[in-house]
Amino acid sequence: MRMGEENVTFVKEFILVGFSSDRRTQILLFVVVLIIYSLTIVGNLLIIMLVWVESSLHIPMYFFLSNLAGLEICYVTTTLPQTMASLVSGNGAISFTRCMAQMYITLSLGSCECLLLGVMAYDRYLAICHPLIYTSVMGWWRQFLLASVTWVGGFLLGSLMVGSATSLYFCGLNRIDHFICEMAMVIKLSCTDTYITEAAIFLAASLGVLLPLSIIMTSYGFVISSVLKMRSTAGWRKAFSTCGSHLIVVTLFYGTVISMYLIPRSGSTSDRDKKIAIFYLVVTPLLNPIIYTLRNKDIHDAIAKVLQRLDIKQKS
């Protein structure tokens, strides 16, 4: 079917099927998503504010962590408000333009997170394996440069993926069996050949996922080797406490993203895709601030100092 043919109705909006058509279930899901969204925003905002106000956290590790927290806030805000609106209204309609915009921002931020996790692994490698030159190598300008590369690189990858999708024609089916405008689901609705588009998306996804993943694996290979050579138990404990949280986040995020975009699928997988999407769109952004603060002594000390200062101000 070509653009020049007559009697072709082009899609102006998509319908997000979501999880259920039952109103009670939709209202219950709305409450659950609202609670998770609120906790995610508050948790990540607290990390950003804590890193900002506490001078002891003005080091590269926490600068990158505050960038990750900002990413998570943007990530959930791109998707969950639309999901909650659909649950409240019972209407999953979303315009073609908004759908493409949601896909672009979501994929771009996801790519940014992949790259940022690679940068954070490189930072831990320098801190543990090269402590004597760490401060000079990871100066403020280097931190800013690496953070900028993750944001710019992520949005460039997002442009490549969504740019290839916008060249497709949508002229019939418009029901997306998902709760967001997920790239794979949208492409299935196209009435044109999607081979080149899918190849471009796979290439961009591979670059955005596998490149930083190789950096992470290489960095932590050197970190583990260096830690095993340490004679101090305290050194072991400190190294694993700072790296353990990051490795948990990497495992959660990369595990779901790889299974979503890089593992071949067979048959109908809409329910599987929804479950995976819930994990990396809803659960992971909520867990990240908890994982990074639960066993982090620096964060605990910083919170204690901030609370102590607030207590002194109230008494004075």
Side-chain angles (χ1 to χ4, degrees), residues 154-195:
F155 276 86
L156 286 176
L157 289 172
S159 299
L160 176 59
M161 287 186 277
V162 178
S164 61
T166 55
S167 64
L168 299 174
Y169 303 146
F170 298 88
C171 48
L173 300 174
N174 71 336
R175 293 178 65 82
I176 302 174
D177 192 7
H178 213 286
F179 61 95
I180 63 168
C181 285
E182 202 277 319
M183 175 71 78
M185 295 294 181
V186 173
I187 290 177
K188 288 180 181 179
L189 303 179
S190 175
C191 53
T192 51
D193 183 23
T194 62
Y195 177 78

Side-chain angles (χ1 to χ4, degrees), residues 25-37 84 87:
T25 303
Q26 289 178 340
I27 297 301
L28 176 61
L29 287 173
F30 167 77
V31 173
V32 172
V33 173
L34 177 60
I35 292 173
I36 292 175
Y37 177 67
M84 288 187 288
L87 289 170

Side-chain angles (χ1 to χ4, degrees), residues 14-18 82 85-87 89-95 174 178:
F14 292 104
I15 305 298
L16 298 171
V17 174
Q82 172 66 42
S86 298
L87 289 170
S89 65
N91 179 14
I94 182 172
S95 69
N174 71 336
H178 213 286

Side-chain angles (χ1 to χ4, degrees), residues 115-231:
L115 297 173
L116 183 58
L117 290 174
V119 168
M120 293 174 74
Y122 173 68
D123 172 70
R124 291 299 82 206
Y125 157 72
L126 286 178
I128 294 172
C129 299
H130 302 283
L132 297 179
I133 63 170
Y134 175 64
T135 304
S136 60
V137 171
M138 195 59 75
W140 167 246
W141 173 245
R142 180 65 61 85
Q143 296 173 46
F144 176 78
L145 181 62
L146 289 172
S148 299
V149 167
T150 62
W151 286 90
V152 174
F155 276 86
L156 286 176
L157 289 172
S159 299
L160 176 59
M161 287 186 277
V162 178
S164 61
T166 55
S167 64
L168 299 174
Y169 303 146
F170 298 88
C171 48
L173 300 174
N174 71 336
R175 293 178 65 82
I176 302 174
D177 192 7
H178 213 286
F179 61 95
I180 63 168
C181 285
E182 202 277 319
M183 175 71 78
M185 295 294 181
V186 173
I187 290 177
K188 288 180 181 179
L189 303 179
S190 175
C191 53
T192 51
D193 183 23
T194 62
Y195 177 78
I196 296 177
T197 300
E198 290 177 348
I201 292 170
F202 182 80
L203 177 63
S206 299
L207 182 63
V209 173
L210 298 181
L211 177 61
L213 184 58
S214 64
I215 294 173
I216 292 170
M217 294 178 68
T218 303
S219 296
Y220 277 107
F222 285 115
V223 167
I224 292 172
S225 176
S226 179
V227 168
L228 291 176
K229 295 176 183 178
M230 292 181 181
R231 297 182 180 180

